[in-house]
Amino acid sequence: MASTLKGQIVAPQDVFSSYGSPAGVDLGAQATTGDGRTFRYMKAGGTALVPGKLYQASAEDTSNFQALAASAAAIGATQITLTSSVTLTANQLAGGFLVVTVTPGQGYTYQIAGNTAVSAAAGAVITLNDPLIVALTTSSRLDVIKNPYDGLVVNPTTATSAPVGVAVFAVNAGSYGWVQTHGPVALLADEAVVVGQPVAASAA
């Protein structure tokens, strides 16, 4: 498979593949086939992908991952210790994002490198790829977002996360492959589409 680390190019035939392991490509890596189409590398959820269907990120965990409190952390810190009780497996959030939603630090988004495991308890440590720009205090509040390309599911009638791409191949459940995010693609519609009119994720 062509590497997405050198030139961000993937051979057109390689998007029609299912990989049992990450194959050395980061989840969410973006690549083009050089013909106007753009793709993202992803991991399928518990069901094999269906070509031509729209997929969303795995459902947001609003009860476990929002409005979290943490210990104070200085400018330049790359580790955040949560004081809120959460349940996480080791590195479940790797490749995802930490968003500061309540000041100090409000409005900043940081990519997550990894996290420690914890079960319904405080003390989880989240490691960031980049250091804090603004110090956090115990008044700060955080949302954490898992990598949106980890565990894709078909876009449901009632969306539970954001749409992330269109399946172009029947990637096996729990396996890795590509979804398309830009350019010409076959895409299932639930009614006639009028030329020149905008489309949106279906609620049906």
Side-chain angles (χ1 to χ4, degrees), residues 1-4 7-15 31-34 39 178:
M1 185 181 74
S3 170
T4 59
Q8 302 290 317
I9 298 295
V10 62
Q13 65 268 25
D14 286 338
V15 302
T32 176
T33 49
F39 299 83
W178 298 94

Side-chain angles (χ1 to χ4, degrees), residues 1-196:
M1 185 181 74
S3 170
T4 59
L5 303 179
K6 297 180 180 179
Q8 302 290 317
I9 298 295
V10 62
Q13 65 268 25
D14 286 338
V15 302
F16 303 126
S17 300
S18 181
Y19 303 95
S21 64
V25 183
D26 292 336
L27 286 180
Q30 179 175 285
T32 176
T33 49
D35 55 14
R37 293 178 295 161
T38 303
F39 299 83
R40 293 279 194 150
Y41 199 67
M42 60 85 222
K43 182 179 182 181
T47 304
L49 269 57
V50 178
K53 284 193 174 184
L54 179 66
Y55 281 78
Q56 69 157 48
S58 59
E60 293 185 19
D61 188 344
T62 56
S63 61
N64 198 41
F65 289 171
Q66 293 186 356
L68 304 175
S71 299
I75 292 173
T78 56
Q79 289 194 323
I80 310 298
T81 301
L82 299 180
T83 54
S84 292
S85 178
V86 296
T87 296
L88 289 169
T89 57
N91 296 322
Q92 179 181 345
L93 300 173
F97 298 91
L98 181 146
V99 179
V100 185
T101 58
V102 174
T103 201
Q106 184 178 35
Y108 282 89
T109 301
Y110 304 92
Q111 189 178 43
I112 298 171
N115 63 270
T116 58
V118 66
S119 180
V125 177
I126 296 177
T127 301
L128 307 177
N129 278 322
D130 297 302
L132 290 177
I133 302 299
V134 176
L136 303 180
T137 73
T138 55
S139 296
S140 302
R141 291 295 177 268
L142 317 170
D143 287 1
V144 290
I145 305 164
K146 151 181 197 189
N147 188 317
Y149 294 94
D150 182 6
L152 269 58
V153 297
V154 69
N155 200 75
T157 300
T158 301
T160 55
S161 193
V164 294
V166 178
V168 295
F169 182 75
V171 176
N172 296 329
S175 294
Y176 299 81
W178 298 94
V179 289
Q180 189 170 338
T181 58
H182 184 82
V185 68
L187 180 57
L188 178 67
D190 64 7
E191 60 184 35
V193 177
V194 179
V195 174

